[in-house]
């Protein structure tokens, strides 16, 4: 045998020896685990039921948050099929841009009207307060 083969044989023997030691330790540990498993079998079932209910509540509350809704929407978006008809996609994009422009314009007009009403009410309230202060 050459030096390299001897070294390989020694490493293999050492590995097998270490495996045997680990297996002996595991047998002892498994005995301890078996006893503890029997001791806590009844409590474990109750704990599992409570833990499952708690985890379900935690997950549902996480999915209701803004981050959870964002993640859900992103997963839904990633699940969409690939676009096949690019011409139809271009037409849809033009329509979407026009619709978006229409919505933004109308929202701006409505917002300006609400702001004018708000400013009028604020001025009216200020005038009423000043009148009350002057009366006293």
């Amino acid at each position: 045998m050459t030096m390299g083969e001897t070294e390989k044989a020694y490493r293999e023997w050492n590995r097998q020896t270490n495996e045997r030691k680990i297996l002996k330790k595991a047998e002892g540990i498994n005995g301890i685990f078996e006893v503890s498993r029997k001791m806590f079998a009844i409590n474990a079932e109750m704990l599992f039921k409570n833990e499952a209910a708690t985890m379900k509540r935690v997950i549902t509350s996480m999915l209701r948050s803004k981050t959870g809704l964002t993640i859900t929407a992103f997963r839904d978006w990633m699940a969409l099929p690939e676009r096949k008809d690019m011409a139809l996609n271009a037409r849809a994009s033009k329509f979407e841009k026009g619709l978006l422009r229409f919505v933004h314009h109308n929202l701006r007009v409505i917002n300006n009207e609400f702001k004018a009403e708000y400013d009028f009410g604020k001025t009216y309230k200020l005038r009423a307060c000043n009148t009350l202060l002057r009366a006293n």
Side-chain angles (χ1 to χ4, degrees):
M1 286 171 83
T2 64
M3 187 63 164
E5 291 174 357
T6 308
E7 188 176 331
K8 285 181 186 177
Y10 172 74
R11 285 185 181 167
E12 180 63 26
W13 172 81
N14 193 18
R15 186 183 60 79
Q16 289 176 358
T17 306
N18 287 339
E19 284 178 358
R20 274 188 244 121
K21 288 178 184 176
I22 290 170
L23 286 173
K24 282 185 181 179
K25 285 182 184 178
E27 286 173 4
I29 291 172
N30 284 340
I32 293 170
F33 283 142
E34 188 65 30
V35 170
S36 65
R37 187 184 63 79
K38 287 178 182 177
M39 284 175 47
F40 298 110
I42 296 171
N43 292 335
E45 186 178 335
M46 297 284 289
L47 180 65
F48 179 72
K49 287 180 182 177
N50 292 339
E51 187 175 317
T54 304
M55 285 304 294
K56 187 174 180 180
R57 277 187 258 131
V58 167
I59 289 171
T60 53
S61 65
M62 284 174 57
L63 288 176
R64 281 190 223 129
S65 69
K66 287 185 180 182
T67 307
L69 293 174
T70 305
I71 290 171
T72 304
F74 184 72
R75 285 184 182 159
D76 291 345
W77 176 65
M78 293 299 290
L80 290 174
E82 193 67 29
R83 293 183 176 145
K84 295 183 180 165
D85 189 3
M86 294 310 280
L88 190 61
N89 182 31
R91 287 181 61 200
S93 293
K94 287 180 185 176
F95 173 75
E96 187 178 0
K97 285 178 186 174
L99 184 63
L100 191 64
R101 196 175 314 120
F102 173 76
V103 168
H104 279 302
H105 173 72
N106 286 340
L107 283 177
R108 192 176 329 118
V109 169
I110 291 169
N111 188 33
N112 289 341
E113 290 174 4
F114 277 125
K115 189 167 190 247
E117 285 292 323
Y118 173 75
D119 289 341
F120 177 74
K122 196 173 169 184
T123 306
Y124 190 77
K125 182 180 174 184
L126 185 64
R127 190 179 318 136
C129 287
N130 286 338
T131 305
L132 282 172
L133 289 175
R134 275 191 239 134
N136 290 330

